[in-house]
Amino acid sequence: MFLTCEEMVKLSHLEKIKLVAGKGGIKRIITWAHVIELDDVADWVKGGELLFITGVSIQNDLNALIKLVKDIEARNLSGLVINVGRYIKETPKEVVDLANAMNFPIFELPFEVKLIDVIQSICREIFNSRIKEESMNSFMKAVIFGNEKITTETLNKAVIYGYNSKKCYHSLVVDIDSFKVYLKKNNIREEKEIEELKTFIQQLIDSIMYKHNKKALCMIQSDSFINLVPMYKGNNNRDEIIVIAKEIKLTIKERIKELTVSVGLGGGTTEIKYFSKIVFSAQKALDISKRNSKIDYVSDYKKTGVYRLFFDMSNYDEMRNLYEETLHKLERYDTKNSSNLLETLEMYLEKQKNIGLSAEFLYIHRNTMKYRINRIEEILGCDLKDDNIIFQITLCIKIRKFLNI
């Protein structure tokens, strides 16, 4: 739905534009186009723009051009177009080498080409793309969260947005970690600024999808980005979607300082009527990771194990009762004696009941670990060599995290 540098060269009035550096970044998404000749141009852009310069202020100043490229790349611009001919004859080799090293696209456009026509062509395409994006967002909301009845008309609409019934769509939900904290820390208050940030995040997600040749169906819901990713049917689907999820997480972390996201992966389906089901499974995976205090994390619903059962329980009272009967004594003991036996027990089980390894991770002596295990057995009145007891305790530790006890 977004215009990339690669697609931009195909537009009208750009027949003479030429890529001279940064081919590795050709899939960057363009949010707008500007002509700016100021030395401190980085202060006037927000990220994602394609910058045009005639060189009137730089001319033959190589250091100034190098500084400009470094500054705008640091501001996450999509690329630079140099209007060559009058003030800058050609892109210096040093600038080409720098842009190639950074995978930052630099184009040359002959001076006789009218910039007004070029920029109008680019901005018109961006505007049309945004209309399509808003239309898809509304459609996806109706299908996933509304009561949209799946009719022939619905399927025809979906095809317009890229739906292919021969593909298996996997749900991938990106959720911003501690979004309110980030906004407050960076003094972002205006709704327009928040929406621009979300749009930029979606553009980064789309750029990764584009890189992997995936035409995802997507929408933004609050501070979550819901994507249904088309995959060929096969056993390696899960590996591929996990690679994409990790790359999205890493890219956002690198491009937007101090901001991290977590990604939830749900199931897969070929049918639109099951889109809501697989999206909810991805959201559950995210919920489970948050209940386990995990951020900047990829959570796969298929690997959440027993937690999946908890969501389908209509009443949590029995879960709470089981926890209190099994582990509450140990929790009370820790509170009364300022000890951490419950943490010790959790580590002991996590390390497959290996005394030495558990002691190492808790930074305590092996004998101290043995003493704590004996004390835990006394308090709980159990034998930690009994597999049934271990299963119940492990289950109750998960219940504690799920219910945030």
Side-chain angles (χ1 to χ4, degrees), residues 2 9 46 67 78 80 127 135-136 166 170-171 220 231 241 247 249 277 303 320 335 368:
F2 294 101
V9 300
K46 295 182 178 180
K67 181 180 182 302
S78 59
L80 173 67
F127 183 71
S135 178
M136 180 194 280
K166 295 180 181 179
H170 287 251
S171 57
I220 300 175
M231 312 287 281
I241 198 77
E247 194 169 338
K249 183 174 72 67
K277 181 180 178 180
K303 295 181 180 178
R320 191 180 298 274
T335 302
T368 303

Side-chain angles (χ1 to χ4, degrees), residues 20-24 69 94-106:
V20 294
K23 186 178 179 181
V69 172
E94 294 86 346
V95 175
V96 170
D97 291 342
L98 174 64
N100 283 332
M102 297 189 299
N103 287 324
F104 181 73
I106 293 182

Side-chain angles (χ1 to χ4, degrees), residues 193-210:
E193 289 181 285
I194 296 171
E195 289 306 312
E196 286 175 351
L197 175 61
K198 289 181 181 180
T199 299
F200 184 55
I201 292 171
Q202 183 63 62
Q203 288 167 352
L204 292 177
I205 295 169
D206 285 350
S207 68
I208 302 300
M209 296 294 181
Y210 188 79

Side-chain angles (χ1 to χ4, degrees), residues 61 84 303 319 349 362:
D61 190 338
V84 293
K303 295 181 180 178
M319 292 169 60
L349 298 180
L362 291 172

Side-chain angles (χ1 to χ4, degrees), residues 53-74:
I53 61 167
T54 63
V56 64
S57 63
I58 292 177
Q59 300 201 16
N60 296 320
D61 190 338
L62 175 61
N63 290 332
L65 186 55
I66 288 175
K67 181 180 182 302
L68 172 68
V69 172
K70 287 181 177 179
D71 286 348
I72 60 178
E73 199 282 332

Side-chain angles (χ1 to χ4, degrees), residues 46 179 183-184 186-198:
K46 295 182 178 180
F179 193 35
L183 295 177
K184 185 175 181 181
N186 291 273
N187 197 30
I188 300 174
R189 298 177 182 176
E190 297 294 329
E191 192 63 33
K192 184 180 178 183
E193 289 181 285
I194 296 171
E195 289 306 312
E196 286 175 351
L197 175 61
K198 289 181 181 180

Side-chain angles (χ1 to χ4, degrees), residues 297-311:
Y297 188 77
V298 175
S299 181
D300 187 345
Y301 184 67
K302 291 190 175 182
K303 295 181 180 178
T304 53
V306 72
Y307 285 112
R308 293 164 62 172
L309 303 178
F310 296 163
F311 282 101

Side-chain angles (χ1 to χ4, degrees), residues 155-167:
L155 293 172
N156 290 338
K157 268 188 186 180
V159 170
I160 293 173
Y161 297 124
Y163 170 69
N164 184 344
S165 61
K166 295 180 181 179
K167 296 285 184 71

